[in-house]
Amino acid sequence: MLFSKLKWTIADVMPVSAGLTFDKMKTSLNDADDIYIRPLLGKALMTDIEGFFEAESKTEEQAEVLRLAQSAEAYLAFYHNFHELSVRITDQGFQRQDTENFSGAYKYQERELRNSFAEKGFLALDNLMNLLDENAETFTSWTSAPAYRKRKNSIVKSTQEVNDIYDIDNSYIIFLRLLREVNEIEMTTLPYILGVKLYDKFKEAVVNDTETIENAEVEELRRRVVKYLVYEGLAQMVRRSGSITSKGLYFESVDKTSDNGEKASPAERGRAHDLARNLSMSAQAFKNLLIDYVSVNVPEDFGGRPSQTFNRDNDGKHMFFA
């Protein structure tokens, strides 16, 4: 855990009342640590970060790593145990306490708060992993973390990379949803586009940090592949769920009768299909650019354009395709 009773500094990473005690939050912080953070960062790195917390002095990089880790732990603790923290659990059951001056939040406020806790917690976790990637030589235990191995083997690396291509509001939750679609497209479609031989070489180069394949720079090839995968993944996500948000594809309008002045209505099927079609058109354009690039720069390993499979020199061979 990245907080203690003697060093109760949660107010440094999120706006909470001075009356919030460590004893009340201890179980929730442990849950966030065990469920969300430790499985990604691993035992060795978490031990290092806990050491930063206990240390009297720390470097600027260590302080920033600790701040992001504490922020992720605090927000995800409130997100995961939101309802438990809102009530008292006693031998007489579950009780909601109202004081003389304060009463419980409205339902719409509770929903927005919990969503905000999730977004901020996962974003802090994502920013933490990006920082560790940039400073891997300093934080050597990061290279043995489960999240590092997964990111290193992935073609699409991070939330920020996706957000630079298509605005997903820098949401780690949307990134995780998209990643499932991207992985499926990578396994089923990308070998067909590049050819199995080039696809295998490309994946090996990404994992081993190889700089070039023939005349192609691996990082440039990866960026071109990512653009296709992101747009095709978004199109597939919309077709399946009507959604490129964490809650579904909704359209908001002003409504004076609602609690917060806004009304969200499910997207009509036609509008979802229009969005999916536009995303597919963009994916097709990036796919064509990708094929143009590999056909020029990796001609020996490229399997050829699928659309030109039957375009062969048939002079004197007396063959035809029916």
Side-chain angles (χ1 to χ4, degrees):
M1 191 192 305
L2 303 176
F3 298 94
S4 70
K5 193 166 187 175
L6 294 178
K7 298 174 70 175
W8 182 228
T9 56
I10 193 170
D12 292 341
V13 295
M14 68 181 301
V16 296
S17 166
L20 183 67
T21 66
F22 173 77
D23 289 336
K24 181 176 179 61
M25 291 298 302
K26 181 178 179 180
T27 303
S28 298
L29 290 168
N30 273 327
D31 286 346
D33 188 58
D34 293 340
I35 296 170
Y36 298 105
I37 300 176
R38 198 172 294 272
L40 288 176
L41 302 187
K43 183 178 180 180
L45 181 56
M46 281 300 296
T47 300
D48 288 347
I49 297 175
E50 288 166 352
F52 303 158
F53 174 66
E54 297 294 342
E56 292 297 328
S57 62
K58 51 187 77 70
T59 66
E60 184 177 337
E61 292 82 3
Q62 289 172 344
E64 183 63 8
V65 165
L66 176 61
R67 183 188 70 82
L68 289 171
Q70 285 183 317
S71 182
E73 186 174 277
Y75 278 107
L76 291 174
F78 276 98
Y79 162 69
H80 184 73
N81 281 352
F82 184 84
H83 297 294
E84 289 90 334
L85 291 169
S86 301
V87 300
R88 290 195 312 168
I89 303 175
T90 70
D91 57 346
Q92 298 179 2
F94 303 96
Q95 300 175 344
R96 185 180 184 90
Q97 183 176 9
D98 289 342
T99 68
E100 182 179 347
N101 298 319
F102 293 92
S103 59
Y106 294 110
K107 288 296 181 183
Y108 81 90
Q109 291 175 318
E110 290 185 350
R111 288 195 302 270
E112 292 178 358
L113 269 175
R114 191 163 189 263
N115 290 336
S116 175
F117 292 151
E119 291 287 354
K120 291 177 180 178
F122 285 120
L123 181 59
L125 198 54
D126 198 39
N127 288 338
L128 170 62
M129 291 186 288
N130 288 338
L131 179 63
L132 291 167
D133 269 341
E134 294 169 4
N135 296 274
E137 293 182 359
T138 302
F139 303 102
T140 54
S141 53
W142 166 238
T143 58
S144 63
Y148 175 83
R149 295 194 297 270
K150 184 175 181 179
R151 286 160 73 94
K152 185 174 178 60
N153 294 338
S154 298
I155 296 176
V156 182
K157 301 291 187 181
S158 67
T159 305
Q160 184 60 55
E161 185 169 54
V162 174
N163 204 71
D164 289 343
I165 296 170
Y166 189 92
D167 184 14
I168 59 170
D169 200 25
N170 219 25
S171 169
Y172 188 59
I173 298 175
I174 298 175
F175 172 71
L176 292 177
R177 288 192 62 218
L178 176 62
L179 209 56
R180 291 194 293 267
E181 309 294 343
V182 164
N183 289 338
E184 180 180 325
I185 295 166
E186 179 191 332
M187 290 186 293
T188 60
T189 306
L190 196 57
Y192 172 73
I193 295 172
L194 299 179
V196 174
K197 182 179 179 181
L198 176 55
Y199 171 76
D200 289 341
K201 279 193 173 183
F202 170 59
K203 282 289 291 184
E204 184 179 353
V206 169
V207 172
N208 296 327
D209 295 325
T210 305
E211 293 186 359
T212 60
I213 302 176
E214 293 186 33
N215 296 323
E217 293 184 4
V218 172
E219 181 58 22
E220 175 63 22
L221 176 57
R222 189 191 70 83
R223 285 197 293 265
R224 291 173 180 268
V225 169
V226 167
K227 288 178 181 178
Y228 163 70
L229 289 176
V230 167
Y231 273 98
E232 192 61 53
L234 287 168
Q236 186 163 295
M237 195 161 68
V238 171
R239 283 192 293 266
R240 285 181 172 176
S241 64
S243 167
I244 50 174
T245 73
S246 58
K247 294 179 284 187
L249 187 60
Y250 280 71
F251 294 94
E252 292 185 349
S253 59
V254 176
D255 183 6
K256 295 180 180 179
T257 63
S258 65
D259 292 324
N260 60 354
E262 296 178 352
K263 181 181 179 181
S265 303
E268 298 173 359
R269 183 178 295 272
R271 298 184 72 172
H273 285 178
D274 288 344
L275 177 58
R277 183 174 63 251
N278 291 337
L279 291 166
S280 289
M281 290 173 61
S282 296
Q284 184 62 42
F286 283 117
K287 173 183 171 182
N288 292 337
L289 291 171
L290 170 62
I291 291 174
D292 288 341
Y293 179 79
V294 296
S295 64
V296 171
N297 293 281
V298 202
E300 293 184 12
D301 291 320
F302 180 47
R305 297 174 184 267
S307 61
Q308 296 178 348
T309 301
F310 299 111
N311 295 350
R312 54 167 289 172
D313 181 7
N314 196 37
D315 292 345
K317 297 184 176 64
H318 306 293
M319 297 173 62
F320 70 93
F321 297 99

